């Protein structure tokens, strides 16, 4: 007989691990009507920072190579949307300054309160559960009187002396911290759970939160080509367009390709040494091809994309597809064939391709050779059509 508002508030003190709300409503709300169930959800989620911490922690444990992992990603995305729906002014709640004061979202600390030897060694660190492109303070509770559970872990630097730095890359914020560490500097920190979701374009894309991605690029003014963020699909630093290529929902890809200034085939900064000039297309050629080839075609048709870009060893993306598994065990699947065809259709040259990496003409190996030897796009279309017919016959 308790009012739904009371049930919602009481549920926040239960160990519901971030709030599996469907189960919560079923078990706690019992036979209540849908209107009352919605109230319970809203009250439970309003300003619930611990809920975001749970979602953030769970997101970095997702393994997308399994069906269970993909289902978990979809469930986490739904949980984020539920939180955003209950906190419909979420954009203002995550602004470091001049926004809504949501308890537990931010905390302030004076730099002089941190031991001098910690200034450079502690502040300039990535978050251990997947960095968000900002410096963080580890064990943040050591520096705060704030007893909020959200600050018992690391927190992310989003403001320096009243300046909003939430849109700056890791290196830029680090430079500002080094410049000011010798004098008292007030830092504003955001709890990492919220920062991982709402200040990370990679995670926004990986969870299908295109509205968050749009907010980050248009309002926070994060660089559309930034490579300071790790996510769920790629936990190392990759540009947002890479994440958008592999997500089942095309919304983020469609949005990014509409943004002025997008580099559709950037040189990847995480590859150094002999792999300098290693582009996104090179990386996709070596990858597992978890991508929608039609999106690759869209990128290849852009004027700024050089389909024959050479990396540090002088290899093109097409060669990287051929050589991806080595001469002794050259193995391809349909996705590799489609990616090779897309590059060839876009005018990729075979001059830099070493056919010695294809040891025989059996199965897909033969198909790959036939594609490379085809005279034009029409012949390549026929080859893929033949492959599809064979697949359909096997399925009958």
């Amino acid at each position: 007989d308790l009012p739904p508002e009371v049930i919602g508030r009481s549920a926040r003190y239960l160990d519901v691990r971030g709030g599996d709300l469907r189960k919560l409503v079923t078990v706690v709300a019992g036979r209540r009507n849908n209107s009352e169930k919605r109230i319970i959800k809203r009250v439970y989620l309003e300003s619930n920072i611990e809920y975001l911490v749970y979602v953030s922690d769970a997101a970095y444990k997702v393994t997308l190579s399994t069906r269970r992992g993909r289902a978990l990603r979809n469930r986490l995305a739904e949980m984020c949307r539920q939180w955003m729906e209950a906190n419909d002014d979420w954009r203002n709640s995550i602004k470091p300054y001049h926004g809504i004061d949501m308890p537990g979202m931010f905390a302030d600390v004076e730099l002089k309160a941190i031991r001098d030897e910690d200034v450079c060694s502690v502040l300039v660190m990535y978050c251990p559960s997947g960095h968000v492109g900002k410096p963080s303070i580890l064990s943040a509770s050591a520096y705060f009187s704030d007893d909020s559970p959200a600050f018992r872990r690391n927190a992310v630097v989003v403001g320096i002396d009243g300046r909003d730095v939430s849109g700056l890359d890791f290196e830029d914020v680090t430079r500002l911290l080094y410049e000011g560490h010798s004098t008292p500097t007030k830092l504003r920190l955001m709890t990492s759970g919220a920062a991982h979701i709402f200040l990370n374009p990679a995670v926004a894309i990986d969870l299908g939160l295109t509205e968050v991605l749009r907010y980050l690029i248009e309002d926070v003014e994060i660089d559309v080509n930034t490579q300071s963020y790790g996510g769920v699909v790629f936990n190392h630093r990759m540009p947002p367009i890479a994440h958008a290529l592999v997500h089942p929902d095309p919304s983020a890809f469609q949005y990014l390709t509409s943004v002025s200034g997008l580099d559709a085939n950037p040189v990847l900064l995480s590859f150094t040494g002999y792999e300098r000039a290693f582009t996104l297309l090179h990386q996709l050629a070596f990858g597992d091809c978890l991508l929608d080839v039609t999106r690759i075609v869209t990128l290849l048709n852009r004027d700024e994309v050089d389909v024959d870009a050479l990396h540090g060893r002088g290899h093109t993306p097409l060669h990287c597809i051929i050589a991806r598994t080595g001469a002794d065990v050259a193995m391809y699947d349909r996705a590799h064939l489609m990616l090779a065809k897309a590059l060839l259709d876009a005018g990729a040259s075979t001059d830099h391709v070493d056919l010695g990496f294809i040891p025989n003409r059996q199965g897909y190996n033969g198909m790959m050779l036939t594609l490379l030897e085809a005279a034009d796009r029409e012949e390549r279309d026929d080859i893929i059509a033949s492959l599809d017919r064979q697949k359909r016959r096997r399925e009958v």
Side-chain angles (χ1 to χ4, degrees):
D1 296 330
L2 289 174
E5 292 87 354
V6 174
I7 294 176
R9 293 192 188 95
S10 301
R12 296 180 61 166
Y13 296 95
L14 303 176
D15 184 19
V16 292
R17 301 298 299 153
D20 184 337
L21 291 182
R22 285 171 296 187
K23 185 180 298 184
L24 175 70
V25 170
T26 300
V27 174
V28 179
R31 298 178 180 178
R32 293 173 180 269
N33 61 45
N34 289 333
S35 176
E36 290 182 311
K37 290 178 180 179
R38 284 193 293 271
I39 293 174
I40 293 172
K41 287 183 182 182
R42 177 180 55 77
V43 172
Y44 174 77
L45 288 171
E46 281 180 346
S47 304
N48 192 338
I49 302 299
E50 277 297 287
Y51 183 88
L52 295 179
V53 172
Y54 169 78
V55 173
S56 171
D57 288 347
Y60 288 105
K61 299 174 185 177
V62 171
T63 303
L64 294 178
S65 59
T66 66
R67 181 179 299 177
R68 183 176 182 179
R70 292 189 291 273
L72 174 59
R73 182 207 24 208
N74 294 338
R75 188 161 69 251
L76 293 175
E78 178 187 357
M79 292 168 71
C80 286
R81 292 193 183 93
Q82 288 176 336
W83 190 93
M84 292 160 64
E85 181 179 348
N87 300 274
D88 55 1
D89 202 8
W90 59 268
R91 292 172 179 82
N92 281 322
S93 70
I94 61 176
K95 287 181 178 179
Y97 304 104
H98 313 300
I100 296 174
D101 184 16
M102 182 176 289
M105 181 70 78
F106 299 104
D108 293 316
V109 62
E110 296 242 352
L111 196 57
K112 65 181 180 181
I114 302 176
R115 297 186 303 273
D116 290 341
E117 63 269 22
D118 289 342
V119 170
C120 295
S121 63
V122 175
L123 284 176
V124 188
M125 299 183 96
Y126 290 127
C127 296
S129 60
H131 64 269
V132 296
K134 305 287 181 292
S136 65
I137 291 183
L138 306 183
S139 302
S141 60
Y143 307 113
F144 300 110
S145 58
D146 188 338
D147 198 27
S148 168
F151 281 98
R152 292 174 188 162
R153 55 183 62 233
N154 51 309
V156 178
V157 179
V158 293
I160 301 176
D161 285 338
R163 175 182 176 181
D164 184 347
V165 297
S166 59
L168 299 183
D169 278 351
F170 179 87
E171 291 77 10
D172 294 327
V173 180
T174 300
R175 177 178 51 78
L176 292 174
L177 289 170
Y178 270 97
E179 287 177 352
H181 83 270
S182 60
T183 59
T185 302
K186 181 170 286 188
L187 303 181
R188 171 147 289 199
L189 305 180
M190 175 186 279
T191 177
S192 62
H196 285 164
I197 296 170
F198 292 114
L199 290 183
N200 188 331
V203 172
I205 295 170
D206 293 343
L207 293 181
L209 304 175
T210 304
E211 61 271 49
V212 176
L213 174 66
R214 182 185 294 272
Y215 167 78
L216 288 173
I217 291 176
E218 297 180 8
D219 291 23
V220 182
E221 298 183 349
I222 284 179
D223 183 1
V224 68
N225 299 310
T226 181
Q227 294 186 38
S228 284
Y229 299 84
V232 178
V233 177
F234 307 106
N235 58 16
H236 54 289
R237 303 202 290 177
M238 292 284 280
I241 191 65
H243 293 264
L245 279 169
V246 299
H247 195 281
D249 184 350
S251 300
F253 179 81
Q254 292 167 354
Y255 171 67
L256 287 174
T257 52
S258 72
V259 175
S260 175
L262 173 71
D263 184 350
N265 188 33
V267 172
L268 302 181
L269 303 180
S270 56
F271 290 85
T272 58
Y274 74 87
E275 296 291 15
R276 61 189 182 280
F278 197 83
T279 71
L280 177 59
L281 285 176
H282 288 103
Q283 170 66 14
L284 295 175
F286 275 120
D288 294 327
C289 282
L290 299 169
L291 47 88
D292 182 345
V293 176
T294 59
R295 299 181 203 175
I296 291 290
V297 172
T298 299
L299 295 187
L300 293 174
N301 288 333
R302 292 172 66 98
D303 293 338
E304 75 270 19
V305 174
D306 179 5
V307 295
D308 289 321
L310 301 176
H311 69 41
R313 287 188 171 183
H315 296 151
T316 65
L318 183 59
H319 171 84
C320 291
I321 296 175
I322 305 305
R324 66 181 303 276
T325 51
D328 296 331
V329 288
M331 297 177 63
Y332 313 104
D333 58 24
R334 187 181 186 280
H336 299 123
L337 295 178
M338 293 300 296
L339 185 53
K341 179 182 181 300
L343 286 165
L344 290 166
D345 289 348
S349 171
T350 59
D351 293 344
H352 294 276
V353 175
D354 184 357
L355 297 183
F357 280 93
I358 306 178
N360 55 59
R361 284 185 171 268
Q362 297 175 4
Y364 284 125
N365 292 347
M367 284 284 188
M368 185 66 80
L369 274 170
T370 305
L371 274 177
L372 294 171
E373 295 168 350
D376 53 31
R377 178 181 298 206
E378 186 176 350
E379 278 194 30
R380 290 189 289 270
D381 288 341
D382 290 341
I383 293 167
I384 297 300
S386 173
L387 178 65
D388 291 340
R389 286 195 295 271
Q390 293 177 31
K391 180 182 178 181
R392 286 195 294 270
R393 283 199 294 269
R394 288 194 297 268
E395 292 173 348
V396 173

